[in-house]
């Protein structure tokens, strides 16, 4: 149990502008994409996160030379010799599986430990594996390791027509990267359309890849012999931006958030406005959140982009607990992404969850309590609830939060929140769980 925790005194308004960092889910996959290039690549606006640090370790273990300072990351993957990512690193970071496509394309072989499940679900990778097999790879899974290789002399993947059973972000990204150096044309049908997929495609195009259709459900890649050096700046993190918009709404504060790409937040903005907020464009790349005195209940169903993002479901639920009326949330993307319900209930929220659906009945106020974070976005939801709750909320298990949010407590403090990072005394370990019956 990590003893670091956030102590939040609720009920304080926020004001000012909060800066949004680069997108975690773009930076991680683009870092894997740097393996495709036998030369220098430089990416900027990289968020400073635990996940990024772990990805640097994994790339270094694969033989990539990396210079990582702040939000700048330079890499040279000209002599990657190892095709085996170390288990102890991979087990900490699912995104390390993104290395399989580039390693297979560059070396004709890749041994990557099978990423396990995580708090929110089983997180299978059979769509990645099936697509690589369609491109001519032999893929075996032995003792928890995915062993992929390309038979034949040149060991080069072949272009293929691939249909994804579901528009998986990761599978789309793995197969798009693998196809950049394959022989011939690859078409990915039912591809994911998330902005992070587009950012990866644009980075690969900057390296000389021939990719069309990123952002639509059909992506076409013409394989090339090799890629060249490129510079790239990571897009702003739409989920971090959305989280801050909810922070303004839940504390009834007018704040500005940026940089953002408004089109990346269409679904989130639509729901916040349906609840009573106003979200206005501010300058060229920021948004202004104007809160409502009281919020209306809305229903949400998480869907692949451009539908409502699953990564914002927990944060909106926190706001819904204080809306007037009943909201229904249906989580269709992951099988176990309602764990924040139990913790919000500890704060007085009136929520009934069954299967993938939660019924949220708004209440007049939440009360601060010690709570336990279970996954990245659940952690954010608990922080947001703590900002609005009466009294003190202590959010434990910050390792989840630090994986995906750059200095969230500091950024909120700069907006006026009463939030401090503390080290809990030993005897308090499990305090948040005190109310729980033994497992
Ligand atoms: C990416 O995960 C993001 N992570 C997730 O963000 C995000 O929630 C998710 O996309 C959906 O938008 C990164 O980009 C690093 P998927 P990914 O493959 O690629 C099923 C966060 O909080 N599926 O689109 O793993 C899968 O089980 C994280 O920042 C298969 O069945 O998501 C899930 O139900 C959490 N077989 C659905 O597809 C496969 O082979 C969507 O998963 C692959 C996926």
């Amino acid at each position: 149990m990590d003893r670091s925790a956030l102590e939040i005194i609720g009920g304080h308004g926020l004001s000012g502008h909060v800066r949004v960092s680069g997108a975690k889910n773009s930076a991680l996959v683009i870092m894997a994409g740097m393996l495709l290039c036998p030369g220098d690549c430089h990416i900027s606006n990289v968020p400073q996160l635990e996940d990024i640090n772990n990805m640097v370790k994994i790339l270094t273990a694969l033989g990539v030379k990396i210079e990582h300072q702040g939000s700048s990351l330079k890499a040279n993957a000209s002599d990657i010799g190892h095709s085996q990512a170390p288990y102890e690193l991979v087990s900490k970071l699912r995104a390390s599986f993104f290395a399989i496509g580039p390693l297979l394309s560059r070396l004709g072989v890749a041994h990557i430990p099978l990423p396990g499940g995580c708090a929110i679900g089983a997180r299978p990778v059979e769509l990645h594996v099936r697509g690589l097999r369609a491109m001519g790879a032999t893929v075996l899974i032995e003792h928890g390791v995915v062993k992929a290789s390309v038979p034949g002399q040149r060991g080069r993947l072949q272009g293929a027509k691939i249909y994804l059973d579901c528009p998986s972000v990761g599978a789309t990204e793995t197969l798009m990267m693998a196809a950049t150096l394959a022989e011939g044309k690859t078409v990915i049908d039912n591809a994911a359309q998330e902005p992070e997929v587009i950012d990866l495609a644009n980075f690969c195009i900057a390296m000389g890849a021939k990719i069309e259709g990123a952002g639509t459900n059909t992506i076409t890649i013409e394989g090339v012999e090799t890629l060249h050096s490129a510079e790239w700046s990571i897009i702003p993190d739409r989920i971090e931006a959305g989280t801050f918009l909810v922070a303004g709404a839940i504390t009834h504060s007018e704040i500005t958030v940026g940089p953002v790409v408004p089109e990346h937040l269409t679904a989130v903005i639509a729901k916040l406005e349906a609840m009573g907020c106003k979200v206005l464009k501010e300058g060229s790349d920021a948004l202004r959140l104007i809160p409502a005195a009281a919020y209306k209940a809305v229903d949400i169903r998480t869907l692949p982009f451009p539908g409502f993002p699953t990564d914002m479901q927990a944060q909106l639920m926190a706001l819904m607990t204080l809306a007037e009326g009943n909201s229904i949330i249906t989580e269709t993307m992951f099988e176990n992404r309602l764990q924040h319900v139990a913790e919000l209930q500890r704060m007085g929220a009136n929520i009934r969850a069954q299967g993938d659906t939660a019924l949220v009945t708004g209440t007049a106020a939440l009360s601060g309590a010690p709570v336990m974070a279970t996954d990245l976005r659940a952690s954010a939801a608990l922080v947001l609830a703590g900002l609005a709750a009466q009294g003190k909320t202590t959010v434990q298990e910050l390792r989840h939060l630090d994986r995906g949010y750059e200095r969230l407590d500091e950024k909120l403090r700069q907006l006026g929140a009463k939030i401090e990072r503390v080290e809990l005394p030993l005897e308090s370990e499990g305090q948040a769980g005190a109310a729980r019956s033994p497992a």
Side-chain angles (χ1 to χ4, degrees), residues 24-25 123-127 168-170 311 333 337 377:
K24 164 180 83 82
N25 291 347
R123 311 295 293 273
V125 291
E126 89 284 349
L127 295 179
S168 154
V169 172
D311 294 351
M333 301 297 289
R337 204 171 198 177
R377 305 305 175 181

Side-chain angles (χ1 to χ4, degrees), residues 68-116:
H68 182 208
Q69 272 111 19
S71 62
S72 165
L73 200 148
K74 293 179 181 169
N76 183 306
S78 48
D79 52 10
I80 48 172
H82 322 272
S83 58
Q84 164 94 30
Y87 177 75
E88 67 281 359
L89 289 174
V90 169
S91 59
K92 285 186 194 163
L93 178 62
R94 293 183 41 75
S96 50
F97 194 68
F98 284 134
I100 193 165
L103 286 178
L104 207 46
S105 297
R106 285 283 307 281
L107 305 177
V109 63
H111 291 186
I112 306 280
L114 192 62

Side-chain angles (χ1 to χ4, degrees), residues 259-263 281-287:
V260 296
V261 178
E263 299 73 45
K281 283 193 177 176
E282 179 87 359
S284 62
D285 65 354
L287 293 174

Side-chain angles (χ1 to χ4, degrees), residues 13-188:
L14 309 180
S15 64
H17 176 79
V18 62
R19 175 164 176 65
V20 178
S21 302
K24 164 180 83 82
N25 291 347
S26 180
L28 287 170
V29 69
I30 284 181
M31 287 170 75
M34 293 166 104
L35 286 164
L36 290 165
C37 174
D40 291 322
C41 279
H42 176 210
I43 54 176
S44 52
N45 199 35
V46 178
Q48 300 177 53
L49 304 170
E50 200 48 38
D51 274 5
I52 298 294
N53 298 337
N54 283 329
M55 192 59 143
V56 167
K57 290 176 188 161
I58 287 163
L59 294 178
T60 305
L62 292 170
V64 182
K65 293 178 190 55
I66 290 193
E67 275 176 56
H68 182 208
Q69 272 111 19
S71 62
S72 165
L73 200 148
K74 293 179 181 169
N76 183 306
S78 48
D79 52 10
I80 48 172
H82 322 272
S83 58
Q84 164 94 30
Y87 177 75
E88 67 281 359
L89 289 174
V90 169
S91 59
K92 285 186 194 163
L93 178 62
R94 293 183 41 75
S96 50
F97 194 68
F98 284 134
I100 193 165
L103 286 178
L104 207 46
S105 297
R106 285 283 307 281
L107 305 177
V109 63
H111 291 186
I112 306 280
L114 192 62
C118 69
I120 64 175
R123 311 295 293 273
V125 291
E126 89 284 349
L127 295 179
H128 304 236
V129 171
R130 211 183 293 162
L132 293 173
R133 283 178 176 148
M135 296 173 77
T138 301
V139 185
L140 304 171
I141 296 177
E142 288 173 346
H143 311 298
V145 178
V146 179
K147 296 180 177 176
S149 60
V150 189
Q153 207 52 32
R154 277 185 50 76
R156 194 176 176 192
L157 290 169
Q158 298 300 308
K161 190 163 170 51
I162 299 166
Y163 171 78
L164 295 179
D165 292 355
C166 72
S168 154
V169 172
T172 301
E173 294 169 337
T174 288
L175 299 172
M176 185 166 70
M177 289 190 284
T180 57
L181 297 174
E183 191 156 16
K185 178 163 88 168
T186 298
V187 178
I188 304 173

